[in-house]
Amino acid sequence: MSLWTSLEPASATVDPGASTRVRLRLRNTGDVVDEYRFEPVGPVAPWTTVEPATLRLYPGTTGTVELTFAPPRTPDATAGPNPYAVRITPTEHPEAVTVPEGNLTITPFTELRAELVPPTVKGRFRGRPKLAIDNLGNTKLTASVSGSDNGDQLVYDLHPSNVQIEPGRAAFVNATLKPRRIIWFGPKEQRPYRLSVQRSGVQPEPVDGTYIQRGFLPRWLATLFGTLMALALAFALIWFNYKPHVQSLAQEQPVEAGVSSIAPSPSTTPTPPPAPTQTAAAAPAAPTTEAGNDNDGGGGGGGGGGGATATVTAKPKQDTAATAVNRLAAADPGGRHICYRAYIQGTGWSKPVCDGTIAGTIGKNTPIKDINVAVYGVDGSAGNSFVYDSQSTNGQGKWQTWTKIVADGKDNYIGSTKPADPYLETFTLNVGNGQVCGFAHVRNAGWGNQVCSDARPALLTLGTWDNTLWLEAFKLTV
């Protein structure tokens, strides 16, 4: 049995997001009727379709199938030449496989997304936002970062100021904003600024943020100092201007040697009344020193005071995703919001963040064990967790039990905080209306692409299936 094949053309070029076709001709050079099955192989196989998928040929006849290549406009479509092949398997002789090979060149494209985390920072002497730059193109991104503002009110310290990012990866630039003028007293002031990502030969990509500069001393403290100074000045004036009248009642008795003199008549100045004496019955009671008794107070006779009372301070209530989302809902009743926090192994719960802000850690190799989510305006949420499996035989983790659908404004927990329970590799989430979107940061893999899901029963899935990796950070929007 034998088969003749030909790819026309053997090399093709395609733009990401577009498609191109290659014709595969084959001839049955054997002496029996045979049917051939076609299967694309190689790195571009996921974007390749073969029509028809099977072809039946009589001996000596020729047939044609078309290969359609449609690489997506994502970092997965690597720029440059990409070899491909088609496995042809005869039905009559499945061991006689033929694999014609060709070459597909994918053109490069550049695309980036930049985001300030957080977009608004506060401080008296400096602010420290981070600029997240995602390379969404299929070639290495080289860019520089600079800062500017109206009036040149801020000084910018950027590390690093130049970045090189592989396709599908992200880089973080640590920015330090320092005001040129310190506000010693008075209200806080907003200082809008802009960080620009500049690539060679193209317009810069601007990202706007706000630095809120606080006064060195708050207004209430300045008012308190002024009041205390006025009171001190008034007290000093009263003290120095008040002159108490003091007169001595003692009478001088002059004495000469050997001669007695008669004492002079007493002064006609009235004698001050005697000071009041305090009887034993009116003596103030000794203050009790016993603490914690609420009944020890009370007005005793002669100015007696109440007993000391111990104050017990209640432990502050923990700030959860629900408390954060309800604060947003109170300020924006008609909006859609999602707030969330992460339970980080060895650290505990992080503070809740909302609407696209990063939760978790990056580059510290600390996995997330539990996720606390609360939504508003999307008809509730539900989720599931995919966790590490120490008994895995296929290199993947395992699913846990689904959570119930939790109403808007309530806490939903996906995972477990128990020390013996495993950490998260992947989690799923859905909402009752609209869309939910997110990004995931996986150990040794970095940030993935944005993923979105429609309303229930559709699912948003973020993370990894690899049992040797884990979820480190994520961010969500609705």
Side-chain angles (χ1 to χ4, degrees):
M1 183 269 175
S2 59
L3 178 69
W4 172 84
T5 62
S6 175
L7 286 169
E8 300 175 355
S11 297
T13 301
V14 64
D15 297 327
S19 63
T20 188
R21 293 184 177 182
V22 172
R23 179 178 299 174
L24 172 61
R25 297 180 60 197
L26 63 161
R27 180 185 299 120
N28 183 357
T29 58
D31 53 3
V32 296
V33 178
D34 211 339
E35 185 176 61
Y36 304 94
R37 296 193 308 272
F38 304 95
E39 179 186 3
V41 295
V44 299
W47 317 314
T48 307
T49 56
V50 183
E51 295 180 352
T54 61
L55 185 64
R56 186 179 181 86
L57 293 178
Y58 288 91
T61 60
T62 301
T64 303
V65 297
E66 283 194 344
L67 310 179
T68 302
F69 302 98
R73 190 177 175 84
T74 65
D76 298 332
T78 306
N82 292 268
Y84 69 89
V86 180
R87 182 186 292 115
I88 305 173
T89 306
T91 302
E92 296 297 328
H93 301 280
E95 74 283 352
V97 175
T98 303
V99 185
E101 298 180 353
N103 186 71
L104 178 68
T105 299
I106 300 177
T107 58
F109 77 95
T110 303
E111 183 177 347
L112 67 87
R113 178 177 57 231
E115 178 185 7
L116 273 171
V117 183
T120 301
V121 292
K122 302 177 182 180
R124 292 180 173 83
F125 303 108
R126 61 182 57 84
R128 291 190 175 94
K130 287 187 177 182
L131 180 65
I133 306 174
D134 297 293
N135 183 4
L136 305 181
N138 63 351
T139 58
K140 180 185 288 188
L141 172 67
T142 301
S144 60
V145 182
S146 60
S148 62
D149 61 89
N150 292 330
D152 194 24
Q153 298 175 335
L154 302 174
V155 177
Y156 302 87
D157 187 9
L158 306 174
H159 293 286
S161 58
N162 295 280
V163 293
Q164 287 190 341
I165 311 172
E166 296 294 332
R169 299 288 184 171
F172 287 86
V173 176
N174 296 317
T176 301
L177 314 176
K178 298 179 181 179
R180 296 184 183 274
R181 180 178 63 87
I182 297 176
I183 302 175
W184 295 103
F185 297 98
K188 58 188 176 183
E189 296 182 7
Q190 291 193 3
R191 306 198 186 281
Y193 68 95
R194 171 173 293 178
L195 297 183
S196 300
V197 183
Q198 177 68 62
R199 293 173 290 155
S200 177
V202 299
Q203 291 294 326
E205 184 80 14
V207 185
D208 293 328
T210 303
Y211 171 58
I212 299 179
Q213 184 180 359
R214 296 171 171 155
F216 179 73
L217 293 177
R219 178 181 292 180
W220 67 265
L221 190 57
T223 303
L224 177 62
F225 281 164
T227 304
L228 293 177
M229 289 294 294
L231 291 175
L233 181 60
F235 179 77
L237 291 174
I238 294 173
W239 176 263
F240 288 109
N241 289 331
Y242 175 69
K243 298 179 180 179
H245 182 72
V246 180
Q247 182 178 9
S248 175
L249 297 178
Q251 300 297 324
E252 185 177 355
Q253 298 284 344
V255 178
E256 294 182 3
V259 179
S260 296
S261 62
I262 302 175
S265 62
S267 171
T268 59
T269 304
T271 304
T277 59
Q278 190 173 43
T279 65
T288 176
T289 58
E290 181 180 358
N293 188 348
D294 293 337
N295 298 321
D296 286 343
T309 302
T311 301
V312 179
T313 302
K315 184 178 180 181
K317 189 175 182 180
Q318 189 179 34
D319 195 11
T320 68
T323 59
V325 83
N326 286 325
R327 284 195 296 268
L328 291 180
D332 181 21
R336 294 163 52 88
H337 300 286
I338 182 168
C339 295
Y340 42 91
R341 57 178 181 152
Y343 188 89
I344 302 167
Q345 182 169 293
T347 302
W349 284 110
S350 62
K351 293 183 179 179
V353 295
C354 302
D355 297 337
T357 304
I358 295 175
T361 60
I362 297 174
K364 296 184 179 180
N365 287 333
T366 51
I368 294 175
K369 295 193 64 175
D370 198 358
I371 293 173
N372 173 207
V373 180
V375 295
Y376 178 78
V378 297
D379 195 18
S381 67
N384 195 1
S385 57
F386 188 81
V387 300
Y388 169 74
D389 183 7
S390 61
Q391 306 297 324
S392 174
T393 59
N394 60 356
Q396 296 184 357
K398 60 182 179 181
W399 285 108
Q400 300 290 79
T401 305
W402 265 95
T403 66
K404 297 179 181 179
I405 297 177
V406 178
D408 283 359
K410 302 294 184 181
D411 281 312
N412 190 359
Y413 291 89
I414 306 173
S416 173
T417 62
K418 295 181 179 179
D421 287 349
Y423 51 76
L424 291 179
E425 295 176 357
T426 297
F427 73 95
T428 60
L429 184 70
N430 64 23
V431 295
N433 65 65
Q435 275 195 335
V436 58
C437 300
F439 295 84
H441 189 283
V442 175
R443 174 183 179 262
N444 293 339
W447 285 104
N449 297 325
Q450 184 182 34
V451 182
C452 293
S453 172
D454 294 329
R456 196 177 300 120
L459 291 174
L460 172 71
T461 303
L462 294 175
T464 177
W465 307 114
D466 192 333
N467 206 38
T468 64
L469 304 179
W470 54 69
L471 181 67
E472 284 189 333
F474 65 96
K475 47 187 176 179
L476 300 171
T477 56
V478 293

